[in-house]
Amino acid sequence: MTQTKNIDRARFLALLRLMHRIRAFEEAAIGAQQAGLVLGAIHPSIGQEAVAAGVCTNLERADLLLSTHRGHGHTLAKGADPLAMMRELFGRAGGTCGGKGGSMHIADFGVGMLGANGVVGANIPIATGAAHGLKLQGSRQIVACIFGDGAINRGPFLEGLNWARAFDLPVLFVCEDNGFSATTRTATMTGGAGAGARAESIGIPALEVDGNDLPELDAAARGAIAEIRAGKGPVLLHAKTYRITGHTAVDPATYRPAEEVAAQRAKCPIARMEALLALAGVEAETLAQLASEAAEEMTAIAAKAEATGWPDAARAFADVQDIGDPRERAF
Amino acid sequence: MAQDSYLNAGRRAVIEEMTRDESIWALGEDLGRGGVFGQYKGLQEIFGAARICDTPISEACIMGAAVGAAMTGTRPIVEMRFSDFALCAVDELVNQAAKARYMFGGQMRVPMVVREPIGIWRSSAAQHSQSLESWYTHIPGLVVVAPATPADNLGLLKSAIRCDDPVVYMEHKNLWALEGEVPEGEHLVDLGRADIARAGDAVTIVTWSAMRHACLRAAETLATQGIEVEVIDLRTLWPWDRDAVLASVRRTGRLLVVHEAVAVSGFGAEIAASVAEALHHDLKAPVRRLGAPRIPIAYAPPLEDRARVSDGAIIDAVQGLVAPRTAA
Ligand SMILES: Cc1ncc(C[n+]2csc(CCOP(=O)(O)OP(=O)(O)O)c2C)c(N)n1
């Protein structure tokens, strides 16, 4: 656990601000869903913000990222515009995907974010292939692929990791381990020692980190990315964290005791980063201001999204494929 | 008769069958907490964790393990959450479950039910909304069922569980809360038998799943215009009730097939072609079919609505069928 006064104050203030923005974005989205403005499911990452911040801050803009159904934080941290993201959640014009995808399918290729995914584990082979493509082209870019602890029980996890090792591909696999696979405790359904041990069994170095300890995560991600960029092939980062909300924003998560959640809430990465920065001499007022600014920013963004019109219905027929009429048998 | 929901009727079917036959068990993600929609609520408390079995997120292995377990004397109910995720286990279903009995010369059977809910469910987007029933009607060896009412969800699921061949059982997500009359005693509905949901003599509509309800609403409106529509809910898509459909079209001379799935290569094409082949001389108008345009399902409501077959489209299609034809 990081416990030092000698941290890079400017860097971690910026990362704390990013974590606040991620949390505020999701809190605004949850509020909007309760108000009937976000119609589809949302999977909040509240309590897991350090993984997004610590990994993405070490990526270059040109690097690529693949995410999951729980991807708002990753996407924001990779540099996507929160207003476009919020419009996507509202299904409005100007959304990241023009309102076609919603929360579970946000992608912003302009910032190297190659997509959240509605299918658990499906991003792993795609990330592997993206890295394969980059390697074929002699690029110095790398790919980061974030997935949950539940995803390691799907076949594509094994296939993707083996492939990445066999071809020595530039990919950082990040297992964002929040302890749950939807409503099931992942440990009850997982053999062996988990993601890291599985990676090592096929020759991929694995780093275990406290996913709520941002300085630790930041250092581990930086080191791993440097190795990958130097051509040493894939690395797996296993970040242990905790999902404070339910699986979706409407899941009351009654399958776990309230005391467990309360204890975890106290250890959330934002609280811990604030404590560290306070130790390093940052004023309480400065810290409080970061939180309130983020909340204001995202409340305003949600209001703007609400004021945006719907996409033109004719767009339903756009971008299906180049040949063949998508209106075939439309009425 | 008592009122019950579509969801609860399915739950009751599982309880009744698992009570009757100890070799039946269910496996899938999150079943111990009731499953993703609550279809298994409380079942682990009744039957224990061995028979209401939580699984890893491993669709290929859930399906494949069910095939193996069916070969060794148990009767698995496989829960796939969404038909979209069952695509992660298509080899296990199509190459293995569907083929084993035939390929191995009839030495054994694969009695398993694969529950994989289909359908548009507001703003669930392209990977959580698909209706993929026609894929499985194409596969020899599989039975395909798509119930539309609470009573049918009870009676058909029970029959599916008793079936000795693999059954792809497709509930519609938008129907979970639908209430309806459900018989209180033992209730079985034969696989392969359609339900005449409404009698009429002007036009035959053949439909299934959630579209049954849209067709019945359209039929009400059409009745006020003096057009009496017969609505046939197929309920089982393979084998489909050809006799019921042909008998009806022989009387009405007009056929409209309505389904939520993409129209192109939808199961409506099979029905339309079969009727055209069998009843060429009885038809008073060309057969028609309505389904979604060939687009993925979008998230934003105005775009998503473009993929829906509306009541209005059904009414228009029926009116077109009964309109006097102008000479060519
Ligand atoms: C192939 C597949 N199976 C099941 C689901 C349903 N599902 C959505 S999220 C989820 C849990 C995933 O757990 P994990 O990978 O740990 O990610 P987390 O939700 O914890 O972020 C499940 C089972 C899915 N989307 N895709």
Side-chain angles (χ1 to χ4, degrees):
Chain A
M1 196 163 107
T2 310
Q3 259 173 333
T4 169
K5 293 181 187 172
N6 300 323
I7 58 168
D8 180 342
R9 281 175 38 166
R11 179 176 183 82
F12 288 106
L13 272 171
L15 288 176
L16 175 62
R17 178 166 174 272
L18 174 58
M19 291 198 294
H20 274 306
R21 292 178 71 234
I22 293 169
R23 182 161 304 183
F25 179 90
E26 292 197 318
E27 282 173 347
I30 294 168
Q33 190 185 54
Q34 285 161 353
L37 293 164
V38 170
L39 295 165
I42 47 179
H43 300 82
S45 64
I46 290 175
Q48 308 178 195
E49 296 88 350
V51 178
V55 170
C56 294
T57 193
N58 288 295
L59 295 173
E60 294 179 2
R61 192 172 171 90
D63 288 337
L64 306 178
L65 174 72
L66 286 95
S67 172
T68 68
H69 55 283
R70 204 177 301 287
H72 306 137
H74 314 146
T75 310
L76 204 58
K78 188 67 178 77
D81 170 17
L83 176 56
M85 288 172 62
M86 193 66 85
R87 284 182 169 139
E88 189 63 32
L89 266 55
F90 279 61
R92 303 302 170 95
T96 332
C97 307
K100 282 181 167 165
S103 165
M104 261 191 285
H105 307 291
I106 290 191
D108 185 348
F109 280 63
V111 299
M113 200 295 180
L114 270 49
N117 209 306
V119 181
V120 169
N123 59 343
I124 299 173
I126 301 173
T128 303
H132 203 139
L134 292 175
K135 186 166 175 170
L136 282 176
Q137 296 169 83
S139 168
R140 70 178 295 282
Q141 289 158 270
I142 74 142
V143 181
C145 177
I146 307 182
F147 47 84
D149 40 312
I152 73 166
N153 289 324
R154 284 210 57 226
F157 170 76
L158 172 70
E159 297 180 30
L161 263 65
N162 178 61
W163 185 291
R165 177 75 282 167
F167 292 97
D168 282 332
L169 299 177
V171 46
L172 175 67
F173 295 110
V174 181
C175 179
E176 180 170 355
D177 179 355
N178 61 18
F180 289 92
S181 301
T183 68
T184 302
R185 286 188 197 270
T186 309
T188 62
M189 287 293 130
T190 307
R198 290 183 189 185
E200 282 169 350
S201 78
I202 45 182
I204 295 181
L207 304 167
E208 301 271 341
V209 293
D210 178 343
N212 285 8
D213 185 330
L214 187 50
E216 185 183 332
L217 232 161
D218 177 48
R222 185 172 337 126
I225 288 169
E227 299 270 296
I228 295 165
R229 213 182 293 287
K232 296 196 180 146
V235 177
L236 184 136
L237 186 66
H238 180 191
K240 287 209 169 133
T241 176
Y242 189 85
R243 193 193 73 203
I244 287 175
T245 67
H247 172 54
T248 62
V250 297
D251 169 18
T254 49
Y255 42 83
R256 55 191 195 179
E259 310 81 70
E260 174 183 317
V261 183
Q264 289 288 346
R265 209 177 258 286
K267 292 195 273 181
C268 103
I270 290 183
R272 282 174 60 179
M273 196 67 244
E274 284 176 340
L276 265 181
L277 285 165
L279 196 68
V282 178
E283 306 266 326
E285 205 176 307
T286 311
L287 295 174
Q289 200 182 338
L290 285 181
S292 59
E293 279 172 7
E296 268 168 44
E297 177 194 358
M298 297 305 169
T299 308
I301 276 174
K304 263 195 190 160
E306 188 182 351
T308 311
W310 297 110
D312 177 2
R315 297 292 304 162
F317 299 97
D319 290 320
V320 178
Q321 61 190 101
D322 282 343
I323 58 169
D325 183 2
R327 290 180 187 267
E328 175 79 29
R329 303 213 155 260
F331 35 83
Chain B
M1 289 278 187
Q3 287 285 313
D4 209 349
S5 68
Y6 181 85
L7 181 139
N8 238 335
R11 185 173 161 276
R12 188 181 135 197
V14 173
I15 294 175
E16 288 181 6
E17 291 305 296
M18 286 187 65
T19 305
R20 181 186 59 77
D21 179 350
E22 291 222 325
S23 72
I24 300 167
W25 60 301
L27 66 164
E29 298 149 18
D30 299 308
L31 296 198
R33 265 76 48 226
V36 64
F37 299 107
Q39 321 92 299
Y40 300 86
K41 199 133 234 109
L43 266 56
Q44 201 172 60
E45 288 72 13
I46 304 174
F47 297 107
R51 289 181 72 202
I52 298 291
C53 179
D54 279 313
T55 69
I57 307 174
S58 305
E59 284 75 13
C61 200
I62 296 169
M63 192 80 82
V67 176
M71 287 175 174
T72 51
T74 72
R75 304 179 74 87
I77 300 169
V78 168
E79 178 56 56
M80 282 281 133
R81 287 174 108 96
F82 288 75
S83 73
D84 316 67
F85 305 154
L87 301 184
C88 299
V90 165
D91 171 62
E92 288 72 14
L93 180 57
V94 171
N95 281 328
Q96 313 302 335
K99 304 294 193 292
R101 175 179 170 186
Y102 183 85
M103 202 165 59
F104 299 147
Q107 297 179 70
M108 50 58 187
R109 299 187 173 201
V110 185
M112 59 190 263
V113 179
V114 181
R115 290 177 89 176
E116 41 174 285
I118 56 173
I120 300 178
W121 189 47
R122 181 53 100 193
S123 287
S124 300
Q127 296 174 339
H128 289 76
S129 304
Q130 299 172 87
S131 290
L132 298 174
E133 65 274 16
S134 80
W135 289 34
Y136 302 102
T137 61
H138 192 70
I139 305 301
L142 298 179
V143 173
V144 182
V145 180
T149 67
D152 281 351
N153 204 19
L154 172 65
L156 287 166
L157 185 50
K158 284 169 66 87
S159 295
I161 293 169
R162 295 181 188 197
C163 179
D164 281 339
D165 289 313
V167 180
V168 180
Y169 194 86
M170 300 175 127
E171 288 148 300
H172 194 293
K173 300 187 286 291
N174 222 28
L175 298 180
W176 290 128
L178 178 75
E179 295 274 334
E181 297 272 300
V182 180
E184 272 159 277
E186 176 82 321
H187 177 61
L188 290 162
V189 174
D190 290 342
L191 300 178
R193 228 186 64 231
D195 176 35
I196 312 289
R198 180 189 176 104
D201 53 19
V203 173
T204 301
I205 298 184
V206 173
T207 189
W208 54 88
S209 190
M211 278 295 127
R212 169 192 172 117
H213 306 288
C215 292
L216 287 172
R217 285 192 304 268
E220 291 279 321
T221 306
L222 288 158
T224 65
Q225 302 165 10
I227 306 171
E228 288 299 335
V229 171
E230 181 141 304
V231 178
I232 301 183
D233 174 1
L234 277 189
R235 306 194 285 193
T236 304
L237 300 187
W238 193 268
W240 63 283
D241 194 342
R242 176 187 288 265
D243 292 346
V245 172
L246 294 185
S248 174
V249 179
R250 218 171 260 127
R251 270 191 299 105
T252 63
R254 296 179 176 90
L255 172 68
L256 169 67
V257 190
V258 181
H259 57 62
E260 185 180 310
V262 169
V264 174
S265 297
F267 196 61
E270 176 64 27
I271 296 163
S274 300
V275 167
E277 283 169 344
L279 299 181
H280 180 72
H281 297 291
D282 298 292
L283 287 172
K284 298 174 191 154
V287 297
R288 281 223 48 195
R289 55 197 165 108
L290 274 179
R294 203 170 174 286
I295 55 176
I297 294 159
Y299 174 87
L303 308 190
E304 186 191 64
D305 285 345
R306 302 301 295 154
R308 284 177 199 271
V309 177
S310 63
D311 297 6
I314 299 168
I315 292 166
D316 285 351
V318 169
Q319 288 170 339
L321 281 172
V322 296
R325 277 193 287 166
T326 47

